[in-house]
Amino acid sequence: MVNAVPWKQRRREMTLGGVLVVLAVLLWQQLSRTPPGSAAGLGAPGGRQADLSGLKVFDVPWAALDGDRPGYDPSGRNIFQFGVIPPPPPPKLSPQEQAAIKEAQRKAEEERQRQLELQRQQEAQRQQEVQRQQEIQANLPPPPPPKPQPPAITYKFIGYIGPPEAKIAVLHDGTDMVFARQGEVVGKGFKILEIGYESIKFGYTDAQFKGESTTLPMSSAY
């Protein structure tokens, strides 16, 4: 049975073969550029000798080639895919920073609870004040009935006749002319209190309107 050649050994041989091929190509190019008449050497065609002074041979890191290749990470960057690059993971916090964050969160929660409690207290006080005002309103005596208003005067003051010390008012009730002196009662419950030059003042005979009066200006039309 033929033993299979290990992959690492085959890779080393393939790399060495590639290096030899590169050296051969460089040597051929150097020989092709050698000018005629040069000293022959190394069995080169036409008696030309290759100048290998400028040829550099680099060391091959065989140990690196023998090492294990890194595995493929499917979650890593893919140059054939476009899109938003995921943000890097957050930096790892120290124990002191973690403790400071927890303390700040604790204080923020305490402040939030304090504000909630303050709002509950204010709402309770507002409800108590509303209830107190409702109780006060419920216990208040009913307001007195509105005061009756005196009847409207339907007369128009046309003017007066007679001397100033004994004036006679000339009124019009919408149908006829009415003549009355100061102190007389006209119509239903109207008493003439004062006859002026351009106005007349009425009072009322009803006791509930005692002390009240109404002044009408002189009217030129009736």
Side-chain angles (χ1 to χ4, degrees):
M1 179 180 297
V2 179
N3 295 331
V5 178
W7 164 249
K8 293 183 179 179
Q9 185 176 353
R10 289 182 59 190
R11 185 171 60 182
R12 180 185 299 177
E13 293 175 355
M14 292 173 62
T15 304
L16 183 59
V19 172
L20 293 177
V21 170
V22 172
L23 290 176
V25 171
L26 294 176
L27 180 60
W28 180 80
Q29 292 179 350
Q30 184 67 28
L31 290 175
S32 63
R33 290 195 297 267
T34 304
S38 303
L42 296 178
R48 292 176 297 179
Q49 184 178 6
D51 184 8
L52 303 180
S53 60
L55 183 64
K56 294 182 180 180
V57 180
F58 298 93
D59 294 334
V60 179
W62 301 109
L65 296 176
D66 291 339
D68 295 333
R69 299 181 62 185
Y72 172 69
D73 184 7
S75 62
R77 182 181 179 186
N78 189 344
I79 62 174
F80 300 102
Q81 292 182 353
F82 300 92
V84 180
I85 300 177
K92 187 176 181 180
L93 301 177
S94 64
Q96 293 80 5
E97 292 174 336
Q98 294 178 359
I101 291 175
K102 290 182 179 179
E103 180 65 16
Q105 292 175 345
R106 184 187 65 80
K107 291 182 178 180
E109 180 63 20
E110 289 180 353
E111 179 63 19
R112 189 180 71 86
Q113 294 295 334
R114 189 183 71 82
Q115 292 294 334
L116 290 176
E117 181 63 25
L118 181 61
Q119 292 178 1
R120 285 193 291 266
Q121 293 178 0
Q122 292 176 349
E123 181 63 20
Q125 292 177 358
R126 189 184 69 83
Q127 293 292 341
Q128 291 177 358
E129 180 64 21
V130 170
Q131 185 176 2
R132 189 178 69 85
Q133 292 295 333
Q134 291 176 350
E135 292 176 353
I136 292 175
Q137 293 294 332
N139 295 327
L140 288 177
K147 185 179 180 181
Q149 297 296 320
I153 298 175
T154 59
Y155 293 98
K156 289 184 178 181
F157 179 50
I158 306 302
Y160 68 89
I161 59 176
E165 64 276 4
K167 298 176 184 175
I168 299 174
V170 181
L171 306 174
H172 192 273
D173 61 0
T175 303
D176 297 326
M177 304 293 290
V178 178
F179 300 90
R181 291 184 174 86
Q182 182 174 326
E184 294 182 351
V185 176
V186 295
K188 297 181 179 180
F190 302 112
K191 184 177 181 179
I192 298 177
L193 300 180
E194 182 180 349
I195 301 174
Y197 291 100
E198 296 182 353
S199 63
I200 185 171
K201 187 176 182 180
F202 288 92
Y204 305 93
T205 58
D206 194 335
Q208 63 179 342
F209 305 126
K210 184 178 180 180
E212 297 188 28
S213 62
T214 301
T215 301
L216 296 180
M218 181 182 298
S219 176
S220 61
Y222 54 90

